[in-house]
Amino acid sequence: MRFVQDIPHPQFRIGLYAWNGKYIVKIEAGPYEQTYKISEMDISDPESVPTMLDAPFLTKVAQRFQQMDSDWQETGERNDVF
C-alpha cells in the first residue's frame, strides 16, 4: 500500500493511500478506524478525495465512531471483560 497524503482534520487522523487499483481513505479516532475504498477508475485525481470529506459526511463518521465505541463497551460488559 502506497501512502499518498495526510488530510488534515482537527478531530480525526485521515490518510489517503493507493493500493491495488483503489484509493483507500483511512479515518482513525482513538482505537477505532473506518476505511473507504474508491476505485481509481471512479476518481481522476486523488486531490479530489478531500473534497468528498465534507461536514455532513464527517458528522456521520463521528456518529459511527460513537456507535462503534458503544458496541465495543456493550460486548465487553456482556462478556464480563470490562
Side-chain angles (χ1 to χ4, degrees):
M1 188 169 358
R2 179 178 60 85
F3 174 77
V4 176
Q5 72 180 71
D6 278 321
I7 300 170
H9 190 271
Q11 186 178 4
F12 307 122
R13 181 173 181 214
I14 304 175
L16 179 62
Y17 301 84
W19 182 71
N20 204 19
K22 294 179 173 57
Y23 291 114
I24 299 171
V25 178
K26 287 189 176 190
I27 306 172
E28 299 176 47
Y32 306 111
E33 176 180 287
Q34 295 178 44
T35 303
Y36 298 86
K37 296 178 183 177
I38 309 157
S39 172
E40 288 181 354
M41 302 294 286
D42 293 339
I43 295 185
S44 59
D45 181 12
E47 293 297 322
S48 65
V49 172
T51 62
M52 297 174 65
L53 307 178
D54 60 9
F57 176 77
L58 290 174
T59 296
K60 289 185 178 187
V61 166
Q63 292 169 350
R64 205 165 288 118
F65 276 129
Q66 290 171 348
Q67 187 62 51
M68 290 168 73
D69 185 57
S70 293
D71 294 345
W72 186 246
Q73 294 302 317
E74 288 172 11
T75 193
E77 291 169 6
R78 192 172 47 249
N79 294 287
D80 295 320
V81 176
F82 301 132

